[in-house]
Amino acid sequence: NMLGGKKQMTYQELVSEIRGIFMQADVSGIKEHIAYQFNIRGEAEGAFYAEVLEGKLYIEPYEYYDRDVLFTTTADTLLSIATGTMDAVAAFTLGKLQVEGSFDKALLLQSFSKQAGREKKKMKAEEKRQQKAEEKIQQKAEEKEPQKAEEKEPQKAEEKVAQKTEEKTAKKTVRRLLKK
């Protein structure tokens, strides 16, 4: 029970949390119109709807009368489904999620909830990877720091020699070309 240790979640908090999760899902592939109403029982009680319209997702704290699917569940179960820790079909089978209306459209809930969870994980993993890479670069820079001062002088001298040699070669080439 995710809400166990925390203070009770309000209806507003639930709606904004669900919005935050679902909004990360890519619904651009869903060409049909979907209207879901969620009736939340118990804690954070209330009704809100999620609508997919022309490949965009809208979540509003109202009832939606012209809906395709009505889900009745608890805040806890809905959050578990949204974050991908519980399968919507499993929740239905266990009687934690009541579904009225179009079953085909109801199944699409899974696609954007689980996907949202996956996207979130992917983003987090990507952030971690970038952070690690940046830390490594920083570490290497710090390791190089003390040696830099000693290296600088001989390096400069070598660079000057190389530059002069290049200039001489270039001048020779130009002379050769002019002679022709």
Side-chain angles (χ1 to χ4, degrees), residues 150-167:
E150 305 144 33
E151 283 172 5
K152 254 182 203 156
E153 294 319 309
Q155 216 178 347
K156 267 193 192 153
E158 278 168 34
E159 277 169 18
K160 266 187 192 156
V161 172
Q163 214 177 348
K164 279 205 173 127
T165 315
E166 272 173 37
E167 278 170 18

Side-chain angles (χ1 to χ4, degrees), residues 119-134:
E119 291 299 320
K120 212 173 197 178
K121 275 187 202 136
K122 228 191 285 176
M123 276 165 60
K124 276 210 175 120
E126 190 52 47
E127 275 170 28
K128 266 192 189 148
R129 229 183 330 221
Q130 272 180 326
Q131 224 174 351
K132 274 199 179 137
E134 278 167 26

Side-chain angles (χ1 to χ4, degrees), residues 1-179:
N1 182 8
M2 286 167 36
L3 305 165
K6 286 190 291 189
K7 67 173 180 66
Q8 290 248 319
M9 178 178 270
T10 67
Y11 165 77
Q12 274 82 12
E13 286 168 340
L14 176 68
V15 174
S16 74
E17 187 128 344
I18 292 294
R19 183 186 278 130
I21 298 168
F22 281 0
M23 282 304 184
Q24 292 178 48
D26 177 15
V27 296
S28 58
I30 300 175
K31 294 290 169 245
E32 59 197 309
H33 174 253
I34 304 174
Y36 289 156
Q37 181 174 322
F38 295 92
N39 282 0
I40 305 301
R41 298 189 313 260
E43 188 177 346
E45 196 168 343
F48 65 94
Y49 78 88
E51 178 181 27
V52 177
L53 184 63
E54 288 163 8
K56 285 195 177 66
L57 178 66
Y58 303 91
I59 293 174
E60 297 298 338
Y62 314 114
E63 291 196 35
Y64 198 108
Y65 293 105
D66 191 20
R67 58 189 172 236
D68 300 306
V69 189
L70 170 63
F71 293 106
T72 307
T73 188
T74 62
D76 229 3
T77 301
L78 185 55
L79 282 171
S80 300
I81 293 169
T83 53
T85 54
M86 186 188 283
D87 189 87
V89 179
F92 172 73
T93 313
L94 294 168
K96 287 173 177 268
L97 179 69
Q98 274 84 52
V99 182
E100 293 167 42
S102 160
F103 258 80
D104 291 342
K105 288 191 176 181
L107 285 171
L108 289 169
L109 170 69
Q110 194 68 1
S111 73
F112 58 78
S113 60
K114 211 170 182 181
Q115 193 180 357
R118 263 205 303 269
E119 291 299 320
K120 212 173 197 178
K121 275 187 202 136
K122 228 191 285 176
M123 276 165 60
K124 276 210 175 120
E126 190 52 47
E127 275 170 28
K128 266 192 189 148
R129 229 183 330 221
Q130 272 180 326
Q131 224 174 351
K132 274 199 179 137
E134 278 167 26
E135 278 167 17
K136 260 189 192 154
I137 292 167
Q138 191 103 31
Q139 234 173 352
K140 277 191 178 148
E142 281 165 16
E143 282 166 16
K144 275 185 188 164
E145 216 52 64
Q147 303 160 349
K148 260 191 196 153
E150 305 144 33
E151 283 172 5
K152 254 182 203 156
E153 294 319 309
Q155 216 178 347
K156 267 193 192 153
E158 278 168 34
E159 277 169 18
K160 266 187 192 156
V161 172
Q163 214 177 348
K164 279 205 173 127
T165 315
E166 272 173 37
E167 278 170 18
K168 272 183 193 162
T169 318
K171 275 181 189 162
K172 274 183 193 162
T173 312
V174 171
R175 275 197 211 114
R176 215 178 300 131
L177 288 171
L178 289 174
K179 275 181 187 167

